Amino acid sequence: MSLRDQAAEVLLGNWRGHNTIPAPGLYPHQWSWDSAFIAVGLRHLSSLRAQQELESLFGAQWADGRVPHIVFDPEAPRQGYFPGPEFWRSEEVNGPQHPDTSGIVQPPVHALAAWEVHASDPETSRRRSFLERLYPKLVAWHDYLRGRRDLGGRGLVSIVHPWESGMDNSPSWDAPLQRVEPVPPTEFQRRDLDHADASERPTDADYGRYVRLAATYRDHGYADGLQVHEFAVEDPVTNSLLAASEAALVRIAQELGEPAHPHEAEVARIRDALPLLLEDGLFHSYDVHGGDLVRGGSVAGLVPLVVPGLPQAQDLIATATGPRFRAEELGVVPSWDLTDPLFDPSRYWRGPAWFNITWLLQRGLDDHGAPELAQVLRTGMLTAANRSGFREYIDPRTCEGKGAHHFSWTAAVVLDLLA
Ligand code: 9WN
C-alpha cells in the first residue's frame, strides 16, 4: 500500500462521526490542536470532514471564548483517559447541555487550519458558510487569549498549565513547576501507562503537578488571574501561533468582506512583542512569577518562524541548522537541544522529533527565504514515516518510532506533504 493510502487509512480509522481522535487507546477523545493539524491533512481526503473537524471542536467553545483542550466523547469508555470529565466538571460552568470538556486550552493554530481547509475547496466552504460561521468563534477565541491571559501585562499570552503548551513535559517547564506541590500518585490513577511505555511518558512527579494545577484552576471556577495560577508562562509557540492565526484571519476577513485591518495590526503587535522572549538566536519562555526567561533549548523557540515578516528569522535558521538542532543533517527537528545533558531521545517532549512541529517549521522556512531547508524537512518527514509508520514521535537521530501507533496528526502531515 502506498504511504498516502496508509496515511488515509489511519485518519479514516480514527474518525468518530464528527471528529478524529489523536490515536486509539491512549487518546480516545477530541484534542484541540490535534484537530487543527488533522483538518489540514483531512482536507485532502474530504473537505467536508475537515470542516466538521473544526466545527465540532468550536461547538464545545465556552461562553468566555476559550476552546477547551479536550472535548470528551460520551461514547468512549468512561475510564479510558485520566483526567476525564468527572475531574474537570465543566458542566458546573457551562451547564449540562454543553459537551463535557477540559478547562484548559492548547496553542491557537485553528484559524491557520480553517483558512487552509477553506482554500482547498472554496466552493464547498462557501456553500456551507463554513468561514462565516467559524470566523466570530475564532475571533472570540483569540479575544479570550488576549483579554484573559496576558498575565504578565507585557502583551503576550501566558499558558497556565504545561498541557496548554502541547509540549507537556518539556524541560522548559521543570523550573516553573518546582513551585507546585505534586498530588501524591496514590490519589489518582494514570491511564496513559496502560497504553505507553513509562520510559517514554512524563514521570509520576510531573503528573502529580499537572493534577494539582488543573484541580486548583477548576476549584476557582476556571477564573484567570495570577493569584489562581501558580504556573504562568509566556510561551513562544502559543504567541507565535496566535500571530500566524491572526495572519490567517486577515485572509478570512477579506474573503468575508469584513475589515482585515484589526488582524493585520495584531500580527504586527505580537511580532513586536516577541523579542521580549529572544536571547542568543532562540526564543525562550518567560516565567511570570519568577520574572525571568526560562533559558534552555526547546524547539518551541524556533516556532516563531511561522510569524510572517519575523525580523529574527535568519538567526533562528542558523540555530536550527547548528549543533543544537542539526535540522539539515537530520531532516527532522528534535524537541530539545541535542547538546544539552537533558536531551532524551525517547521521552516525549524532552528530545524526540514530532511531525506537527517539523511541519510548522517547514512552512516558516518557505516563508522566510529558506526553501531548500524546507524541502529537506519535507523529505525527512516522509522518509521517517516510510521507515517507522505513523508513530506519535520519533528518535530524531535514528527515526525509530515511539509512543502511540496510528497517530492522526502524523498521518495528516504526511497527507499534506504528499498532496
Ligand atoms: C495531554 C493528544 C495530546 C497532544 C499533546 C501531547 C499529548 C496529552 C497527554 O497528547 O498530551 O493533553 O495525555 O499526554 O503532548 O501535544 O495534543 O495527542
Side-chain angles (χ1 to χ4, degrees):
M1 214 197 288
S2 70
L3 190 64
R4 188 184 186 281
D5 287 351
Q6 292 173 52
E9 193 175 77
V10 169
L11 276 194
L12 299 179
N14 289 343
W15 176 254
R16 290 292 178 273
H18 41 69
N19 70 282
T20 309
I21 57 166
L26 189 56
Y27 306 117
H29 305 286
Q30 181 175 29
W31 259 261
S32 165
W33 80 329
D34 295 63
S35 275
F37 292 113
I38 289 165
V40 167
L42 200 49
R43 70 189 166 137
H44 302 298
L45 300 178
S46 159
S47 59
L48 177 62
R49 281 197 184 181
Q51 291 171 28
Q52 289 170 336
E53 183 79 41
L54 293 169
E55 287 164 2
S56 61
L57 177 69
F58 279 82
Q61 184 172 32
W62 289 25
D64 65 8
R66 87 181 70 194
V67 176
H69 103 296
I70 302 176
V71 183
F72 291 104
D73 179 354
E75 313 268 299
R78 281 317 265 178
Q79 298 305 322
Y81 183 82
F82 175 83
E86 40 297 295
F87 174 91
W88 296 98
R89 297 185 216 142
S90 65
E91 75 284 357
E92 289 176 8
V93 178
N94 298 318
Q97 301 310 320
H98 198 90
D100 281 332
T101 72
S102 70
I104 58 171
V105 301
Q106 273 188 329
V109 67
H110 312 89
L112 188 156
W115 176 254
E116 295 295 340
V117 167
H118 164 82
S120 67
D121 182 1
E123 203 185 307
T124 309
S125 165
R126 287 185 193 126
R127 182 170 46 76
R128 298 186 67 251
S129 307
F130 169 64
L131 290 179
E132 236 159 339
R133 288 181 291 114
L134 206 57
Y135 176 67
K137 297 178 185 223
L138 290 164
V139 170
W141 164 219
H142 292 188
D143 282 348
Y144 166 77
L145 292 171
R146 269 189 295 267
R148 302 272 300 271
R149 289 299 192 84
D150 182 5
L151 299 173
R154 305 181 339 139
L156 290 170
V157 173
S158 285
I159 56 167
V160 300
H161 194 294
W163 284 335
E164 290 201 332
S165 69
M167 301 188 175
D168 312 0
N169 68 340
S170 167
S172 297
W173 319 135
D174 292 357
L177 277 179
Q178 280 315 304
R179 292 183 201 102
V180 181
E181 179 66 26
V183 170
T186 45
E187 288 184 24
F188 59 93
Q189 174 81 52
R190 289 178 71 166
R191 293 286 165 194
D192 56 324
L193 301 181
D194 301 346
H195 306 282
D197 195 306
S199 66
E200 297 178 5
R201 294 285 302 176
T203 61
D204 275 350
D206 279 340
Y207 247 79
R209 293 190 171 96
Y210 302 159
V211 173
R212 171 80 63 204
L213 287 170
T216 306
Y217 199 12
R218 176 197 66 201
D219 294 344
H220 285 82
Y222 296 104
D224 289 304
L226 270 187
Q227 66 293 353
V228 175
H229 300 303
E230 264 187 298
F231 180 97
V233 174
E234 294 167 1
D235 157 47
V237 173
T238 302
N239 284 286
S240 51
L241 284 176
L242 184 60
S245 275
E246 283 290 335
L249 287 186
V250 170
R251 294 177 156 196
I252 294 175
Q254 283 164 346
E255 159 73 19
L256 296 173
E258 298 281 345
H261 169 72
H263 304 301
E264 281 161 3
E266 261 307 287
V267 178
R269 187 192 65 74
I270 300 167
R271 192 170 50 215
D272 290 349
L274 275 171
L276 289 168
L277 306 180
L278 186 70
E279 202 176 274
D280 292 336
L282 192 65
F283 289 85
H284 302 269
S285 292
Y286 175 84
D287 177 9
V288 174
H289 286 294
D292 202 0
L293 289 179
V294 187
R295 293 171 182 82
S298 173
V299 72
L302 298 176
V303 173
L305 276 170
V306 299
V307 179
L310 187 83
Q312 302 84 11
Q314 296 315 313
D315 294 345
L316 293 188
I317 293 170
T319 305
T321 50
R324 303 173 79 187
F325 294 98
R326 287 167 40 199
E328 201 163 9
E329 194 185 322
L330 299 174
V332 291
V333 192
S335 52
W336 192 257
D337 181 347
L338 295 153
T339 66
D340 187 298
L342 289 174
F343 170 80
D344 178 339
S346 300
R347 203 180 279 277
Y348 219 36
W349 292 96
R350 301 177 81 88
W354 291 70
F355 285 74
N356 64 331
I357 299 299
T358 307
W359 181 84
L360 287 171
L361 294 178
Q362 60 81 30
R363 278 176 67 103
L365 290 166
D366 267 339
D367 286 352
H368 288 103
E372 297 84 10
L373 183 55
Q375 186 54 43
V376 168
L377 296 188
R378 288 193 279 272
T379 307
M381 283 187 276
L382 292 176
T383 307
N386 258 314
R387 197 175 301 169
S388 59
F390 303 96
R391 298 296 296 270
E392 192 176 7
Y393 41 91
I394 55 175
D395 180 328
R397 303 157 319 167
T398 62
C399 287
E400 188 194 340
K402 309 260 173 187
H405 293 256
H406 311 293
F407 195 68
S408 292
W409 83 37
T410 304
V413 161
V414 165
L415 274 178
D416 193 52
L417 297 179
L418 290 174

